[in-house]
Amino acid sequence: MLSHHDRTELEKIERHLEISDPDLATALREGRRRKPRALKTALLIAMDVAAVTLLVVGLVLPDPGVTLCGILALTGTVWTHVARHRI
């Protein structure tokens, strides 16, 4: 059980959150997630396209460095997708 001081501090935090970001406060209260922002989604799609392009160019050209960069970039984008859906 929380002490009186702890409850008071939590109420202050709750009021501050309600004032500063009411959408987040509502989402936390109702237990639903915030919708992903369009900019983050667009950036993630751009990263996907760039990674696949690097990989294809690396496979066409006889340069193993470009292929390695494509593989690393694609690994990063897959990791980002997996981490994003786990939250």
Side-chain angles (χ1 to χ4, degrees):
M1 182 161 204
L2 296 176
S3 68
H4 177 70
H5 174 71
D6 291 340
R7 283 193 303 264
T8 305
E9 291 299 314
L10 284 174
E11 288 171 3
K12 286 180 187 177
I13 293 170
E14 183 180 351
R15 282 192 304 271
H16 177 71
L17 181 62
E18 189 70 45
I19 293 169
S20 65
D21 194 350
D23 292 336
L24 177 60
T26 303
L28 290 174
R29 191 177 314 107
E30 295 176 0
R32 61 181 168 86
R33 294 183 183 180
R34 294 175 85 175
K35 294 180 181 177
R37 297 180 185 223
L39 181 61
K40 286 183 182 180
T41 304
L43 182 61
L44 192 55
I45 290 171
M47 285 175 43
D48 292 341
V49 170
V52 169
T53 303
L54 261 176
L55 186 61
V56 169
V57 168
L59 291 173
V60 171
L61 296 178
D63 187 5
V66 178
T67 306
L68 180 63
C69 287
I71 291 170
L72 292 175
L74 199 55
T75 303
T77 57
V78 168
W79 179 81
T80 305
H81 281 287
V82 169
R84 187 175 186 205
H85 288 288
R86 282 190 178 181
I87 296 176

